[in-house]
Amino acid sequence: MNMIHSVDALALRNMIRRCSYDVDRVKYVSDLLTMHILVPTFSGQHDAELAKLIKLSQEAKWVDPCIIDYIHEENLHMIPVTLAQSLNKLLSQMMEHPSFDLITVHDAFGCLPTNANRMRYWYKEIMAELAESDMINFLTKQLGITAHFEKYGDIADLIRQSNYGLC
């Protein structure tokens, strides 16, 4: 598998997580994060899996909503406040619209027509977030490539403003 296919799969999984989310879980974690942001907690259980996801998020400079499956009251203290703020912002954006079924086949996406614009929004948002992240350096480092790739400009806003459509 090459890096492009890996990033395609990452985008696909994130489309599913952001469109077809568990409403109760997202609300629960959002409430926990809000509490943690207002009054940070400093003790509790250590969770190795959550620690790994936090580290990956910090290295890639990108928040994946998969992390919400690992957050609970006992390990909330592990989450840096800046990450809690970013994740809570994402969860708030997700909850702005109801969860809906998203059908995916490889890199094709489908949903009811009433949800098509939201699906399109999330695709552009994921692409923009990847442009803002340090994903390219994060992935090349894992492949043993020591070069550091600099961005030639900020294209995230251009991606967000595009009329790109998913078919």
Side-chain angles (χ1 to χ4, degrees):
M1 180 178 276
N2 68 32
M3 191 184 321
I4 293 170
H5 291 299
S6 297
V7 175
D8 274 348
L10 177 73
L12 180 134
R13 289 188 309 272
N14 266 264
M15 286 289 292
I16 293 168
R17 290 178 187 130
R18 295 175 190 214
C19 296
S20 301
Y21 61 88
D22 177 341
V23 176
D24 293 333
R25 182 73 189 159
V26 168
K27 179 71 173 124
Y28 169 73
V29 172
S30 180
D31 290 345
L32 285 178
L33 292 171
T34 300
M35 180 179 64
H36 180 58
I37 292 165
L38 295 173
V39 182
T41 54
F42 296 103
S43 63
Q45 296 174 352
H46 180 77
D47 184 324
E49 192 64 28
L50 180 60
K52 176 182 166 186
L53 292 171
I54 291 169
K55 182 178 182 224
L56 292 173
S57 180
Q58 291 172 326
E59 288 178 7
K61 296 183 178 95
W62 194 63
V63 179
D64 189 322
C66 74
I67 198 169
I68 70 170
D69 292 335
Y70 300 90
I71 297 172
H72 49 77
E73 289 180 48
E74 293 79 26
N75 65 10
L76 190 58
H77 70 283
M78 295 176 60
I79 303 171
V81 172
T82 55
L83 178 57
Q85 291 168 330
S86 298
L87 181 56
N88 209 21
K89 179 181 175 190
L90 173 60
L91 299 181
S92 294
Q93 289 175 311
M94 289 166 52
M95 290 187 293
E96 286 176 8
H97 295 275
S99 175
F100 61 90
D101 291 332
L102 181 69
I103 298 169
T104 62
V105 178
H106 203 27
D107 59 356
F109 306 96
C111 66
L112 291 175
T114 54
N115 298 314
N117 277 334
R118 197 63 182 167
M119 175 185 67
R120 195 171 138 271
Y121 165 82
W122 278 121
Y123 185 80
K124 290 191 319 181
E125 183 61 23
I126 290 166
M127 293 299 118
E129 288 175 14
L130 286 171
E132 292 171 331
S133 75
D134 198 25
M135 191 62 71
I136 188 74
N137 288 308
F138 173 70
L139 293 172
T140 54
K141 181 181 171 187
Q142 291 180 42
L143 295 172
I145 299 170
T146 57
H148 183 79
F149 297 92
E150 294 294 326
K151 296 178 185 180
Y152 289 108
D154 183 12
I155 63 168
D157 287 335
L158 295 173
I159 293 169
R160 287 184 177 102
Q161 294 168 19
S162 73
N163 286 323
Y164 184 80
L166 292 172
C167 301

